[in-house]
Amino acid sequence: MGSLRNPVGPLPSSIYWRRRVVLLSVVALVALLIAWVLTSGGGGGGHKNSGGASDGKHPTPSPITPGPSQSGPAISQHPGGRAESGGAGSGSDDASGPPGASGGDGSAAGSGSSAGGSDTGDQAGGVAGAALPAGSTLPDCTAGTVTLSLRSVRNTYALTETPTFQLVAKNTSAHDCKVDFGPKAAVVTINKADSTTPYWSSADCPKTAGSRLYRVPGGSYVTYTVRWDRKPSAPRCATPPAGSAGAGTYLVEAKVPGYGKLQTSFVLSAD
């Protein structure tokens, strides 16, 4: 420690002190330069990045990336058959298969009329070739493999609503078969609850009285929907009574050979 305070050497001590001052000044200057460089470099980089700006030569990529976007159409399914109507009086009918059935889309239609109205048959819903030509060799459906059911779409219909009924053929086997929904094969009748006389029948004077054959795919179903315009019909192409069905309870009955009698009911509201 004494040598630091009192330099030892052949030269005067003042020279050694000057050398020490110069050395310390150089070290301090170098330290200041290093600090300035570090401060200048870090601050400049922070300034360039903080605003997300680009100088045009070195663009700064945006840290925000778009999220995944939804694409493609909304998917909607048509219920497996919605319409049938027919017979004397006027109405229309549809036979349609379930959505998603194999074979792609296909449609076929038939039309006819009866006293006081018309009836049409239309197949849709994704079952290719569900409507079959007359004379098709596809085996007939039987009660052992195909069940039939009848229902009214609504329990009560207001004055502005069209009574609509559905006859569903459900195939519980693995093999396709055909069912006849022609107006005289699948006879649908409507009568008042307090009467046994049909008020309307699909078999009354249909213009097209032939078969309407539909394929019922194995493990699937076909729905035949009846829409009734509330008009009466008359047997053997007689002139039906004027007017429309009034308020009250009505019975619907369907008769298909080999399946017996199917029944349901509905109400026509007064308002």
Side-chain angles (χ1 to χ4, degrees), residues 8 14 28 38 59 66 88 93 113 116 201 204 206 234-235 239:
V8 178
S14 60
L38 293 176
D93 57 47
S113 65
S201 173
D204 284 348
T239 301

Side-chain angles (χ1 to χ4, degrees), residues 112-218:
S113 65
S114 55
S118 65
D119 82 51
T120 61
D122 179 49
Q123 181 276 325
V127 182
L132 299 172
S136 170
T137 58
L138 192 69
D140 292 334
C141 297
T142 63
T145 58
V146 173
T147 60
L148 292 183
S149 60
L150 177 67
R151 64 180 289 269
S152 175
V153 172
R154 294 179 181 274
N155 291 328
T156 302
Y157 297 92
L159 286 174
T160 57
E161 295 175 328
T162 300
T164 305
F165 324 106
Q166 293 180 333
L167 184 61
V168 180
K170 184 176 181 181
N171 191 345
T172 58
S173 75
H175 305 288
D176 295 2
C177 62
K178 69 177 184 290
V179 63
D180 188 356
F181 284 141
K184 290 193 174 182
V187 179
V188 179
T189 59
I190 300 173
N191 59 279
K192 296 180 179 180
D194 58 357
S195 173
T196 58
T197 302
Y199 186 81
W200 175 89
S201 173
S202 64
D204 284 348
C205 197
K207 183 176 181 180
T208 304
S211 297
R212 293 188 185 177
L213 304 177
Y214 293 92
R215 179 190 301 271
V216 185

Side-chain angles (χ1 to χ4, degrees), residues 38-87:
L38 293 176
T39 304
S40 177
H47 176 71
K48 292 179 181 179
N49 292 335
S50 63
S54 169
D55 62 2
K57 296 180 181 179
H58 304 285
T60 303
S62 171
I64 302 175
T65 57
S69 60
Q70 294 182 347
S71 62
I75 300 175
S76 62
Q77 289 187 331
H78 179 67
R82 290 294 302 269
E84 156 196 322
S85 73

